[in-house]
Structure formats: structure tokens, C-alpha cells
Amino acid sequence: MEKYAQVIIDISQRGLDRPFSYRIPAGLQHCVRAGSIVMVPFGAGNTLRKGYVVGFADRPQVAAEKLKEIEQIVEPSRGYTMEDNSEFYLRLAAWMKNRYGSTMATAMRTVLASRKTGKAREYRQIRLLLSKEEGGKQLEIYVKKHQTARARLLRELLEVPELPWTLVTTRLHVASDAVNAMKRAGVIEVVTVQELRNPVNVSPSAQTGMELSPEQKEIVDTVVGDFDGLQAGQTSVSLIHGVTGSGKTEVYISIIREICARGRQAIMLIPEISLSFQTLMRFYSHFGDRVSVVNSSLSEAERADQWERARRGEIDVIIGPRSALFTPFSRPGVIVIDEEHERSYKNESMPKYQTVDVAEEIARMHGAVLVLGSATPSLESYWRAQQGQIRLFKLQKRLTGGTLPSVETVDMREELKQGNKSMLSRSLHAKIEDRLRRGQQSMLFINRRGFAGFVSCRNCGFVAKCPHCDVSLSLHGNGRLVCHYCGYERPAFRTCPECGSRYVVAMRAGTEKIEEYLRETFPQARILRMDADTTRRKGSYEKILSAFSSEEADILLGTQMIVKGHDFPSVTLVGILMADLSLYGNDYRSAERTFQLLTQAAGRAGRGTEAGDVVIQTYQPKHYAIRHAARQDYEGFYAEEIAYRRLLRYPPVGHMMAVQVQSEDEEAALRAANAIRMMLMETHSLSERGQIQVIGPSTGSMKKLRDLFRFVIYIKAEKYDTLIVCKDLIEKTETQGRQAASIAFRHVEIQFDFDPVNPF
Ligand code: ADP
Ligand code: ZN
Ligand code: ZN
């Protein structure tokens, strides 16, 4: 009997997000299968469209004379090994569609990511031209001339004579100017090769045979033991809570090695910028050319090359950002997520997935283990560990040596009272001067994250908050204070309701202004600034880091970009300006974010042999996020934060879904948002039993973005599944609304965001 292919067309419109039947031409009968990508004629004009075969039917859903035929197959086979991975991708996409509320087409596009392969590409490699002896002499010259970037590169090349260009510029922080100068001097040559090569001839360093500490060994044994006991359809999740330098990476490497030895593959996720050259080299020395690194400096096509290698079984380990999750391995056995609390793990386009969740689902499907690591775990993961849902391991000791920095918290209200109106406290000022005198480096971090025009009193620290949602109100252009969750509004304060002062002002924190101030105050200092403005040009980010790690500057001033990853051993002072700024983000995660940022920033000081100092400037020295960060006390912070979440039923204790309704037509968007609210309120099974709380619609933090008007409804519920029910109801209402040509849903687009990370 003839079978018909059920095809989802690659158009992200909810109205078209259902399978259409197609006839399979005789020539393709044997190669079309579930998961195949095909080209099909679609619509009245029979335009050729990409589509995904999601299944088969014995009977087509349209009349025989209307039935169209598959034109061609794009990828004849996505099954690489005996496993049928096409099925796997279909199941994963369906799971994501259900959990995050996207269309099936968008979910398919996400899990298949880019599969563009094509003509051979070219990659640059840097090769040493000098002998060991000549190289050693040249190195001395560079060191003498203080050409530290060149010295750094040469030192590495004397270990590994050929290194990929991207690795040198992005991870070793040697800017291309320096590389080119060395090329002109005949120290190195730059050659072009067809394949992206790893520095495979890394000599197994002394580290390779390192013996694990008893704590590390216990983690490895337990996780590998878990793995050995798993069936497909099962997973085991572990969280390693340990500060930077406590030996987490060494644990990841050992676990990955064990599991690869059992014939499975490993996915290692890292936040984009935090992977250091040294760490990479450690992976290379363990896994040689069986490991591949993908990052955003690779083009899409170059990334596809790496995926092709994974598909062909040429590599066992992939290291990359969240999209590496979808690497087409035949059967991953372990997924590691380092710095699991990082915001970049949340995908901010549809489907708005949380990487940890998707990783867990993939691990479950394959019978793999999931390992999470962080110095400041997300509340979600720590909460699950406390509930006994996942394993918790602790690594307490710093193995890298270096003393923990001493932290001083300065109350800026006191400074004001003492007549100091400048941006720097007297203490920080004195310490910067001292470092300049001693020729040591300082980092000044301006905490701007989450900053959204909040208003506070510079005299007493009072901050205007929403009486219903306990998040900060934001100052809008019309001079009113607005809550982004519920839409509560009030006029701005003329005087502080707490102390009567007239210093109730919107905080403005410009890095540029601070740089100017520093230049005036310390004319002898060499200052680098790093923020969105100074890093816009390609390569400028690397250039700044290169200059700073080459000690070409005394002070590095910047936003959260400077607190991640990189080790600068001669930094002995970290100043945090406006530590509280991120407390007043307009969402429930503000305190968590602040704690993470301050802890990370403070951890930058004293990495070398000299002890370090940290100065935290704040208007709220007593706030628990600041107090616990100053003491580097995660548990203390967690206890207070989880109590707050419990009280207000915020995630992870409860769950929350943002429904974003947008349209070019403001009235249409509002009408649809109100219709959704009505529908939810009238669904008795939900609202009457108090299962959900509907907040809004409000206009969100930006009413109008890229010419679209946006309204947001927040729904809170005890259980995630209740929110899925709401999402399904909203989708149904929308679809029915469209079919009935209801005016409410014309020209609007609806997006869902579960447990949102970034406020709208
Ligand atoms: P993390 O990933 O937590 O920052 P790493 O695994 O990078 O920690 O370890 C920090 C440093 O300690 C590295 O230089 C590493 O080589 C070293 N190290 C890790 N484990 C051991 C061990 N068992 N014995 C000796 N040194 C170790
Ligand atoms: Zn006040
Ligand atoms: Zn509110």
C-alpha cells in the first residue's frame, strides 16, 4: 500500500504548524524517513519550501487530486550509525515545542541547527621557524624589550611549534599586530591549511598524569558508577559546587576520559568567553585530535565542518557554547555544563530554552550522565540538590594556591555625609594610588548589569519598589515609575519618603564618565576601558585583554565583561563601583545576579603570589547579597534568597511564564493580551482553584521595540506543568481566533518564556 509522508513546512507560523501530506515519488521511496529534510511545493503558487518529514500516513488528509509530491530530498540520510538519529531529533524537537511553546518548525530548526556543508574552507596556522636554541634567544630579547605578547606566543610555540591562528588571538590574547610583526621578523610563518587542526602534538604535560585528590576521585567514581548503571531513558545529574581553581576541570576531564573509553562521546559546554588557553591545552593534551572546539569566532560554515567531523565519528569530545548541545554525535555518554549559572545558557529566541533542561532531556534519551559545575550555582540547581533530585558534590579547597583576598565594604552614604561626593571612596582612592606607586595592576568593575533606570536615595539608600511584586520600579520617559511585572505606576518622588532628602535620583553609570574622572585624578596611570562601546570592532576585545595581560596598562576599567574567566596574576586590587546597581534590576533574579557578579569580581584579585584587596562600594552594605558576597559565603546567600523566593512563589519554588504579545498595531496587541487574560480567568479549572495567578498585561521594560508594540502577561503557578496547560490553551485560543478571523488575533505574534531570565 502506498504511504504518504507527513511534512512540517519550515515556516514559523503557528497557523501552518501542522503536518501536510505528500506523495513520495518512486525514486525516493527508500530514502525518505522520519527526520528527512525535503523540498516540497507549497501554497497556491507551489513555491518550493523546505520541510521536515515527521511521520507517515496510510491515507492522505487531502483529496487525491490535490495531493502534491515531494520534489527532492535535501539530506538523503541523517542516520549515521546503526542508531537512527533522525528519530532522536524529531523526539527532541517535539519535546522542546511542548515545553517551551514554539512551533515545530522552529524547534526542528534549532535542534538541526546549521548543517551547511560545502566547499573546503581555509584556516590559518602559526608555525615557528626558529630552532629551540634560536627561539630561546629570541625569547630573551622579547622579555628584555617588554614585548610581552610576543614573548607569550613564542613561549607557547617553543612547547607546541604550530598553533591555530584563532586560538592564539582569542585565547592567548595576542593581537594580530603582534603576530604580524613576528612574521615580518621571520620568527614565525603563517600557513593556510584546509582542515581546522588542533595542536595535536601537544606533549602530554606533567599534568596529564596528575593524581586526583580523594575528593575529586570520589566524584569521578560516583559519576562513572552512575553512568555504568544507566539504561537508555535514564539519566543521573550531578552538581559540583567549587570555587575557581578547586579542580573541577580536572574532574570533568577524568569523567570524560572514562566515558569515552566506553565508546561514547562527550559534550562539554562553556560560556563563550571563559575558556582559557591553558584549559584548552589541557583538553588537547588528553584527547589530542579527538577533541574539537567550536566558538562564535568560527563562521557558521566552519562550525558545520566540525559537526561533520562529529557525524563521521572523527571526534569524541566537543567543547563549545550552548548550541554545541546539538552536535550530531551518535551516542553521547556525558554532558558537562561548566559555570552552569551563566545567563548565556538561556536561549533568548524561540524556543526560549534553558540549556540545563535540554541537556538533561538529551542525556535521558541517550542514557547519559549530566554534570554541572559552578562556584555560584544557580538557585534552580542548588534547590534541586537540596530536594535530593540531583547529586551535590563540594570541592572546598583552592588548588592553585594564592591567598583569598581581603574584602572591604564601603558605605557610600557615609562618604557623602563626610563630604566626599566623588565616585571613589577614600579607601579605594588610596589603594589605587598605592598600586600605582608599587607598579601593580588594578581592575575597576562597574556593575551595570540589570540596570534599568531605577531611582534611589543617595542619602539613605531608599529604593522605590513595587508594593505587589517587590521588584524595583523603573523610571519611564514620562517621569512615572512603573513595575514591569504588573504595570503598577506612580509619580516619581520629589523627596525621599524615608529620610526627606531631595537626593532621590535616577542612577546613571557611564564607564566613559568614570574613565574621564580617573584620568584627571591619576594623570600618571595608563588606563584601559572595556565596555560595549570599546569592543564593538572585531578583535578589539582581544586587543584590550592582550594589552592588559601584557601589563601595558595599570588600570582596567569595565563592565561585567572584565570579570569573566581570565587570570591576571599581577592584579592585586579589585574595586567594585556601584555594587548595588544590579540589585535593582526589575526582575526577581536581581539579588542572585548581584551575588554572582560580586563573587566573581572579588575572585579576580590575588591570583598571583601577592595577596589581593577588594573594595566594594555600595549604598546598601547590609543587603544580604552584598554581605554574603563580601564573605564569599554561598550557603548563607542561598538560605536568604530561597526564603524570599518561597515567600513570593518565584522560581525555583514556583514557576512563572511570560506571555509576550506583539504587533505593529498597538491596539491589536493590547486586545489580544486582554483576550488571553480573560480566557485564562474564565478557565475555571485553573483560576477557581487558585492554581494560577495572572499578572498584567503590562508594557514590559520596552513598550516599543523595533517598531513592534509589546505587552506582557505573567502567569505564576506552583507547577511547571500547569503553565504548559496554560500555554496550550493560549495556542488554541490563538489558532481558533485566527480561523474565526477574530479581530483580536489578527496581526499579532505570541511568544512564551518559561521562568524568564531576562526581563522583558
Ligand atoms: P577549576 O576547574 O575548578 O577552576 P582546575 O581543574 O582548573 O580547577 O584546577 C585548578 C588547578 O589545580 C589547575 O592548575 C590544575 O592543574 C590543578 N589541579 C587540579 N587537580 C589537581 C590535583 N589532583 N593535583 C594537583 N593539581 C591539581
Ligand atoms: Zn532617603
Ligand atoms: Zn508589580
Side-chain angles (χ1 to χ4, degrees), residues 25-40:
L28 293 180
Q29 285 288 350
H30 295 289
C31 28
V32 172
R33 37 170 151 170
S36 290
I37 302 177
V38 292
M39 298 302 288
V40 292

Side-chain angles (χ1 to χ4, degrees), residues 23-32 69-73 76:
R23 187 176 282 134
I24 308 170
L28 293 180
Q29 285 288 350
H30 295 289
C31 28
V32 172
E69 194 170 82
I70 291 178
E71 177 83 16
Q72 77 184 94
I73 184 160

Side-chain angles (χ1 to χ4, degrees), residues 411-417 453-465 472-473 475 481 492-508 578 580-581 584 618-621:
D411 186 343
M412 291 305 277
R413 296 169 303 183
E414 273 307 309
E415 293 287 316
L416 190 66
K417 279 194 193 123
F454 80 95
V455 163
S456 80
C457 171
R458 286 195 66 184
N459 187 49
C460 75
F462 162 82
V463 171
K465 289 195 163 185
S472 305
L473 298 173
L475 184 64
L481 294 167
F493 295 95
R494 291 168 156 262
T495 55
C496 173
E498 299 277 321
C499 73
S501 149
R502 283 194 297 162
Y503 268 116
V504 215
V505 285
M507 285 284 187
R508 291 274 171 257
M578 291 171 282
D580 7 9
L581 217 41
Y584 314 125
T618 173
Y619 289 93
Q620 292 215 11

Side-chain angles (χ1 to χ4, degrees), residues 352 660-664 699-711 751 759-760:
K352 298 187 176 177
Q660 190 187 326
V661 183
Q662 57 184 30
S663 173
E664 284 173 13
T699 50
S701 49
M702 270 163 292
K703 185 174 177 187
K704 196 174 173 192
L705 187 73
R706 283 184 235 103
D707 287 329
L708 289 175
F709 290 92
R710 318 197 301 170
F711 290 91
Q751 294 197 348
F760 286 111

Side-chain angles (χ1 to χ4, degrees), residues 391-419:
R391 282 187 195 282
L392 177 63
F393 297 104
K394 293 191 189 216
L395 288 174
Q396 313 263 12
K397 282 183 302 237
R398 223 186 209 187
L399 300 169
T400 36
T403 36
L404 280 177
S406 69
V407 183
E408 176 195 356
T409 308
V410 179
D411 186 343
M412 291 305 277
R413 296 169 303 183
E414 273 307 309
E415 293 287 316
L416 190 66
K417 279 194 193 123
Q418 307 280 333

Side-chain angles (χ1 to χ4, degrees), residues 207-208 210-214 216-217 240 242-253 268 276 278-279 282 338-339 374-375 395 397-401 607:
Q207 285 184 336
T208 312
M210 178 157 27
E211 211 172 311
L212 294 181
S213 70
Q216 287 173 316
K217 195 162 182 317
I240 307 176
V243 296
T244 312
S246 61
K248 296 187 296 297
T249 306
E250 207 54 41
V251 169
Y252 304 150
I253 289 175
M268 165 97 199
S276 73
Q278 279 70 24
T279 305
R282 274 158 76 190
D338 192 30
E339 312 276 357
S374 174
L395 288 174
K397 282 183 302 237
R398 223 186 209 187
L399 300 169
T400 36
R607 288 300 176 83

